[in-house]
């Protein structure tokens, strides 16, 4: 039986997926990406329920999302995902989003690694690499996510302690929650007027319970940059641009 090269899902945007203005929330976009990637990995034989037997799981290290059009509550959207050839220890995976009219909404690129739950470190691809289909004939919607560009502008510092609702089955802050941290840092007034059009995330180190993060938000017009550190060590960075809501 040939490997499933791509995987596609449709979803109805519900209130849980949207913000106070009825737009598809950035963290909900990341959650949808995580779930579709998880289902495709399961179909390929390298899903979490298989890997965890060996004490390893998938974790996200880099992500880039471009949302060119808005998606609203009550609309149906489709998400298509596919992996690309392994890059050393990194597994690239891409996503495309379409509205109910079939036209593109946006796209995303991600880099995943295998993570040892006991040692709390990344591990070599090993046999998992053999489960990934040869998609070298497919064209990714964007390049491989790169590092987050630094920004010079107005800075605002704050602190944030991880709470129960932000932790996932891997025992750390879930990748999607970082987008919520960004929107919270930007503030209600900003998020009522603008939406996150582009978002590039770099997950440098996991955030565990009890690790209070020192957050620094930098703004320069519509550009933003958020970094989180603990005891002088950078754990994550997010950068991108805002766009006025339609």
């Amino acid at each position: 039986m040939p490997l499933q090269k791509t995987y596609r899902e449709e979803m109805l945007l519900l209130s849980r997926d949207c913000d106070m203005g009825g737009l598809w929330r950035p963290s909900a976009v990341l959650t949808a990406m995580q779930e579709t990637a998880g289902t495709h990995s399961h179909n390929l034989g390298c899903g979490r329920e298989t890997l965890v037997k060996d004490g390893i799981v998938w974790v996200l290290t880099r992500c880039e999302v471009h949302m060119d059009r808005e998606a609203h509550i009550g609309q149906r959207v489709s998400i298509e995902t596919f992996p690309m050839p392994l890059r050393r220890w990194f597994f690239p995976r891409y996503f495309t989003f379409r509205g109910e009219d079939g036209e593109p909404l946006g796209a995303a690129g991600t880099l995943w690694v295998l993570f040892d739950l006991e040692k709390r470190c990344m591990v070599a691809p090993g046999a998992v690499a053999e489960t990934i289909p040869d998609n070298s004939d497919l064209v990714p919607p964007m390049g491989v996510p790169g590092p987050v560009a630094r920004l010079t502008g107005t800075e605002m510092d704050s602190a944030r302690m991880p709470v129960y609702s932000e932790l996932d089955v891997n025992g750390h802050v879930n990748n999607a929650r970082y987008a919520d941290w960004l929107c919270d840092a930007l503030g209600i007034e900003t998020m009522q007027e603008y939406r996150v059009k582009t978002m590039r995330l770099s997950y440098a180190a996991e955030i565990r319970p009890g690790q209070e993060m020192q957050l620094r938000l930098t703004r320069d017009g519509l550009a933003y940059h958020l970094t989180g550190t603990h005891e002088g060590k950078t754990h994550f960075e997010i950068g991108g641009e805002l766009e006025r809501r339609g």
Side-chain angles (χ1 to χ4, degrees), residues 5-96:
K5 291 168 68 69
T6 68
Y7 176 75
R8 181 177 178 274
E9 274 190 10
E10 287 190 1
M11 63 178 291
L12 175 67
L13 296 183
L14 304 174
S15 58
R16 68 188 179 198
D17 306 308
C18 300
D19 65 12
M20 60 190 301
L23 295 186
W24 197 8
R25 200 173 61 254
S27 62
V29 175
L30 295 182
T31 297
M33 290 165 53
Q34 175 181 283
E35 297 302 331
T36 53
T39 300
H40 192 201
S41 296
H42 169 78
N43 295 346
L44 293 172
C46 58
R48 186 182 195 280
E49 71 287 347
T50 299
L51 300 185
V52 78
K53 295 175 183 176
D54 295 322
I56 58 176
V57 293
W58 292 106
V59 296
L60 191 58
T61 62
R62 282 187 181 175
C63 175
E64 184 171 353
V65 182
H66 292 192
M67 296 303 291
D68 300 315
R69 289 200 299 151
E70 297 178 350
H72 299 81
I73 186 170
Q75 293 182 341
R76 289 193 175 275
V77 299
S78 67
I79 307 171
E80 185 172 19
T81 182
F82 58 89
M84 289 296 286
L86 188 69
R87 300 172 68 93
R88 297 185 179 178
W89 285 25
F90 296 90
F91 293 80
R93 176 174 283 275
Y94 293 91
F95 303 80
T96 55

